[in-house]
Amino acid sequence: QVQLVESGGGSVQAGGSLKLSCAASGYTYSTQCKGWFRQVPGKEREGVAVIDRDGGTLYADSVKGRFTISRDNAKNTLTLQMNSLKPEDTAKYFCAADPRRSSVCYLSVGLYSAWGQGTQVTVSS
């Protein structure tokens, strides 16, 4: 059974940066698609960024140019570097894995079946 644990969330002022990390244990999905998603209370969870086994990435339009997703398959870690943060980035961020795909990844929440518990990111204006 895979366990995904996020860390690195916190509070920051607009324009600041945070780096989120996700560590996998158990069945680590070391080569499968992984991604970051976020959710605000009362709204649907949305895709932020995903990465395939070879480092190919896909970003939501709202974070392009500001966020960078990366992975270390040997260490079973996933990171999200978030720069130029905006108040609208405030959300709970989750890492997730899509066990059925590895070379082409999508931002669709429903494709991901392994989830962490999430870490809160709060950006103040």
Side-chain angles (χ1 to χ4, degrees), residues 14-109:
S17 298
L18 282 174
K19 184 176 182 178
L20 304 183
S21 297
C22 176
S25 61
Y27 185 78
T28 58
Y29 297 115
S30 60
T31 59
Q32 276 80 4
C33 291
K34 288 182 176 174
W36 289 96
F37 299 79
R38 65 188 181 187
Q39 188 169 22
V40 175
K43 293 189 175 181
E44 292 188 354
R45 192 169 297 186
E46 64 175 7
V48 175
V50 296
I51 187 168
D52 67 32
R53 66 184 178 190
D54 299 319
T57 58
L58 179 64
Y59 295 91
D61 288 343
S62 59
V63 306
K64 279 181 183 177
R66 301 188 297 120
F67 290 11
T68 301
I69 187 172
S70 60
R71 68 190 291 170
D72 186 326
N73 293 340
K75 295 182 178 179
N76 298 316
T77 57
L78 181 72
T79 61
L80 184 69
Q81 178 66 47
M82 305 185 294
N83 298 327
S84 302
L85 282 161
K86 304 175 180 180
E88 50 264 44
D89 294 318
T90 295
K92 193 168 190 178
Y93 284 71
F94 300 85
C95 68
D98 174 359
R100 295 175 296 175
R101 293 169 182 80
S102 59
S103 59
V104 180
C105 306
Y106 302 94
L107 286 166
S108 301
V109 172

